[in-house]
Amino acid sequence: MITNSMTNKIFEIINGHTFHLHNQRISYVLTIMENGQLGHLYYGKSLGALSVADIAYLKTQNSKSAGTVKYSPDTGNFTLADRAQEYPVYGSSDFRRGAIDVSCNQEPWYLDFKFADYSITSDKPRNLETPESYAIGNEEATQLNMRLVDDQHQLELTEHFTIFDNQSVVVRSTTVKNCTNKPVNIENMMSAVLELPDDKFQMINLSGAWLKERHVKFHNLEQGTVAVESLKGASGHQHNPFIALVRSQDLNQGEVYASNLVYSGNFISQVEVNEWHKTRLMSGLNPTYFGWKLDVNESFKTPEAVMYYSDHGINGLMDVAAGFTKKHVIDRRWRQRDRPIVFNNWEATYYDFDEQKLLKLARQAKRIGMECFVVDDGWFGQRNTDRSSLGDWRVDPRKFPNGIAAFSKKIHAMGLQMGLWFEPEMVSPDTSLYQEHPDWVVRHPYKCVSIGRGQYVLDFANPEVVESVYQQIKPVILAAELDYMKWDMNRNITEAYSPYLTRHNIPQTEFFHRYAQGVNRLYQLILTDFPDMLIEGCAGGGGRFDLGTLFYCPQIWPSDDSDAVERLSILTGTALAYPLSSFSNHVSAAPNDQVGRQTSPDFRQMVADFGPLGYELDISKLPLDELEQIKENIAFYRRHRQLFVNGRFRQLQSIDPQSNEVTWSVENTDKTEFFVGFYRKLATPNSGVLNYVKLPMVDPNLTYQIDGQEKVSGAVLQHLGLRQPYQFNGANRDTAELYGDFQAHLFHIVSVE
């Protein structure tokens, strides 16, 4: 046995053929199978140090399943059909979907990657060129690199497994190298595979559409394949790369396995159950409309996939996903800094503004406690509708007669940060950029070409386009001394075709991935020059809410729907996979501009307080009492901002978006302070007056004070629960605390002596 110990991470090789990555929380065990390929033995709760006898037990499988094909005449009963594998390949006794497909001259290759050697690394620096997980120093992560070789096809495959200190996560990616003397074509290449020994799970995915993104969906697993995917050039409003397999819908108990991609382009995440009820989870680049020409001695590496594990139910998964993302994906500088309370002018003015109107709003925003003034769409070119000026990133002199620098100086002089909206990936037909460079637009060379929202997508597969866009944006950032950028992307890709690729004899099947790399390149250029500028991601709202975006943007605009009731469902789903700190919230006007719903200022603010807070309504026209409410809430939020943004977030009732009641909480690290948000969407007639929500997270040995009033033991709150506010039921007008539809109460619970 060979052991390499680094802090709480241990890497073991047992009997020369089995590899064990583990920390205090998890174990991941892989082995060299009889045929020389890599097999999977275990992923789950930490097994501690494994003995030779343990490994022998894990590996024993002497009987062959019925109806299978033997791998070769030399391996006895061995077949890949019933073996758990680390990176399976279709067609050599395994007929399930494989992780990699390669062809040469239109001939499919049936690949046979056998173990060659391994290496261990402990450095995983943050590199802006590619969104990936990172570690600081040599003590936070251990990466096992397993090199495998297909001698007959002269391909080399390296599987990367990274385990992190005190994280219930294994990060996977794969690199393939062409060692032949001729080009080959990659037609499918997954980032990660996880084989599980049974199918006693429900699959959770996050689905929806524009204005209703990332609602929780449940699927019962049966023999066959269920998949979520995107072919939009972005992760998309309809599906998210995150999927989870849960033993039950219990919030606090039971095993959960999940995966997510550190990627913002076309993806597929799928689960396949075979005839023996074994489960295979795979995630990676969507193979549809994907291909990659791999020239001699060239390599291709997949995006990273994060494989999560929890044995504490759905809340345990949320805790694992949030903790890992904040520490190892998002730039850590944003954990230490207060997220600014933003005023965004969009729903206050839309395109109808000038400098004086904005300054009036800014002065009012400052008076009531806001910290960052963001000028949204409409500040550039001749942008008075959404059908003009994208790609002309010059300040509109009619709106800013003294230029953006003079305006920004006035904003900064008020003590506010300055922010601007950009949509750098798009171009409008009326701009000089479009007229001078029609070949910089994504479109095929045929007559009929789609147009969406009056705009085209720029060809970010072309490095010259990315550089040109940055050279337009950079002077504006410098002139405005920007603190904050909102990066939007309002149109998905159609007729995916790059004239640049054709000119350079690069297959068009590489377009989508090269486009994603171009987006990453623009982020890299901006953040290299302006590392302290906060970029908020946006894609028509939540059309690109993923780990690839969070690598560059510490927060994302989750939906163009700012209605607080809808945000309950959006946040509930999003928080399964992403931290509360990534969820940008704006209190907007009522009735709401997207759904026309009328909600109270208190309700809207009690929803928006969970995460980075902002406002997006015409504060110059609000009555004094409502302005005072906003001012009081901002003062309250500032006192508790770190807890609302970085506290441990939990669901306390249900994650079903159809549930009428939503209750969630944030807590500090020592369980001495909590906020519990209680929300009821619709009033219910003649309801019981005494209802409780259990608080499993409190310390039963402490005493807590609720809203500065009752003092209750943690044991009572944990086992009986927190009393819900009395709802008006037609007969209790003198004691009811909540009336009508869209009810909310924010409990503040603090430990006392």
Side-chain angles (χ1 to χ4, degrees), residues 431-723:
T431 59
S432 58
L433 178 65
Y434 179 86
Q435 300 298 327
E436 294 169 11
H437 300 283
D439 60 329
W440 283 9
V441 168
V442 176
R443 62 180 172 200
H444 59 58
Y446 308 110
K447 183 177 180 180
C448 182
V449 177
S450 305
I451 186 167
R453 209 169 175 265
Q455 63 196 50
Y456 295 110
V457 182
L458 286 170
D459 181 9
F460 271 31
N462 182 346
E464 186 181 358
V465 176
V466 175
E467 183 64 34
S468 175
V469 169
Y470 182 56
Q471 291 308 317
Q472 277 204 68
I473 289 174
K474 183 176 179 179
V476 180
I477 297 173
L478 287 168
E481 299 181 74
L482 275 193
D483 305 288
Y484 187 106
M485 173 190 288
K486 182 177 177 181
W487 177 326
D488 210 342
M489 189 276 287
N490 280 300
R491 181 210 195 285
N492 290 120
I493 295 170
T494 54
E495 291 94 27
Y497 183 96
S498 166
Y500 167 84
L501 296 183
T502 295
R503 288 197 302 272
H504 289 80
N505 198 31
I506 299 170
Q508 292 294 331
T509 53
E510 298 185 15
F511 168 78
F512 279 115
H513 187 57
R514 288 183 180 272
Y515 178 89
Q517 291 176 322
V519 173
N520 297 339
R521 173 59 178 161
L522 184 53
Y523 276 125
Q524 179 187 16
L525 289 169
I526 294 171
L527 290 173
T528 298
D529 288 342
F530 306 100
D532 293 317
M533 185 171 66
L534 191 158
I535 304 178
E536 178 173 292
C538 181
R544 199 155 61 186
F545 205 120
D546 51 57
L547 294 179
T549 299
L550 284 175
F551 179 82
Y552 299 107
C553 305
Q555 62 194 55
I556 300 173
W557 182 235
S559 177
D560 279 344
D561 191 340
S562 58
D563 169 54
V565 177
E566 174 56 30
R567 284 293 183 100
L568 293 173
S569 297
I570 294 173
L571 190 148
T572 293
T574 305
L576 289 184
Y578 306 99
L580 197 60
S581 64
S582 68
F583 200 92
S584 179
N585 300 298
H586 288 182
V587 178
S588 60
N592 175 263
D593 278 10
Q594 292 79 48
V595 298
R597 191 166 4 235
Q598 182 76 48
T599 54
S600 70
D602 280 346
F603 184 90
R604 282 173 273 149
Q605 292 188 128
M606 287 182 196
V607 174
D609 282 342
F610 285 82
L613 175 65
Y615 289 81
E616 189 172 328
L617 70 171
D618 192 348
I619 54 177
S620 70
K621 295 179 180 177
L622 292 181
L624 290 177
D625 61 335
E626 196 165 331
L627 282 174
E628 188 61 29
Q629 280 181 279
I630 292 175
K631 184 177 181 179
E632 290 175 1
N633 185 69
I634 288 174
F636 158 79
Y637 178 85
R638 290 173 75 165
R639 291 194 301 272
H640 302 286
R641 173 166 26 200
Q642 277 301 313
L643 185 52
F644 278 123
V645 174
N646 289 315
R648 184 178 183 183
F649 183 74
R650 295 176 188 264
Q651 296 287 350
L652 298 178
Q653 282 192 278
S654 172
I655 60 170
D656 184 348
Q658 303 306 315
S659 176
N660 191 47
E661 290 183 358
V662 175
T663 309
W664 56 43
S665 66
V666 287
E667 67 195 68
N668 63 4
T669 54
D670 57 5
K671 299 178 183 291
T672 59
E673 185 177 17
F674 304 81
F675 283 100
V676 176
F678 170 78
Y679 312 93
R680 185 180 285 120
K681 299 173 186 176
L682 298 178
T684 52
N686 196 11
S687 61
V689 296
L690 204 57
N691 301 294
Y692 297 91
V693 177
K694 290 183 178 180
L695 305 184
M697 68 286 190
V698 299
D699 187 331
N701 301 309
L702 296 179
T703 298
Y704 293 93
Q705 189 168 29
I706 304 168
D707 291 342
Q709 298 176 14
E710 302 110 315
K711 295 181 180 179
V712 186
S713 73
V716 169
L717 291 173
Q718 190 176 83
H719 300 298
L720 176 64
L722 175 69
R723 181 186 62 79

Side-chain angles (χ1 to χ4, degrees), residues 17 31 45 52 62 83 106 131 143 160 202 208 237 243 246 248 284 292 311 324 329 343 352 359 469 565 603 743:
H17 55 62
T31 192
K45 195 168 183 177
V52 173
N62 297 322
R83 293 299 179 110
Q106 298 186 322
Q143 185 171 88
H160 311 284
Q202 278 189 307
H237 298 82
I243 58 172
V246 299
S248 75
W292 197 269
D311 62 346
F324 176 77
V329 178
F343 178 83
D352 182 19
L359 289 173
V469 169
V565 177
F603 184 90
Q743 305 165 15

Side-chain angles (χ1 to χ4, degrees), residues 24-145:
Q24 292 178 329
R25 297 188 177 191
I26 56 168
S27 284
Y28 195 100
V29 188
L30 55 149
T31 192
I32 304 168
M33 297 186 294
E34 295 93 316
N35 67 341
Q37 295 181 5
L38 277 189
H40 177 77
L41 296 182
Y42 177 83
Y43 180 37
K45 195 168 183 177
S46 181
L47 300 174
L50 293 173
S51 67
V52 173
D54 290 332
I55 295 303
Y57 183 80
L58 287 172
K59 287 194 67 173
T60 299
Q61 183 176 330
N62 297 322
S63 182
K64 181 175 79 72
S65 299
T68 59
V69 177
K70 296 177 182 179
Y71 174 76
S72 82
D74 304 320
T75 54
N77 281 332
F78 178 84
T79 175
L80 291 173
D82 60 6
R83 293 299 179 110
Q85 302 161 63
E86 290 295 349
Y87 208 69
V89 175
Y90 163 80
S92 295
S93 74
D94 185 354
F95 298 101
R96 288 170 289 175
R97 300 188 182 194
I100 184 169
D101 295 292
V102 174
S103 66
C104 184
N105 296 324
Q106 298 186 322
E107 172 192 324
W109 281 0
Y110 297 99
L111 301 170
D112 188 4
F113 290 108
K114 297 185 184 299
F115 175 74
D117 53 45
Y118 76 93
S119 63
I120 292 286
T121 55
S122 57
D123 59 325
K124 205 170 189 302
R126 181 175 170 83
N127 181 355
L128 289 173
E129 183 177 348
T130 303
E132 290 188 336
S133 60
Y134 69 93
I136 294 177
N138 294 329
E139 300 298 312
E140 289 188 350
T142 297
Q143 185 171 88
L144 169 64
N145 307 292

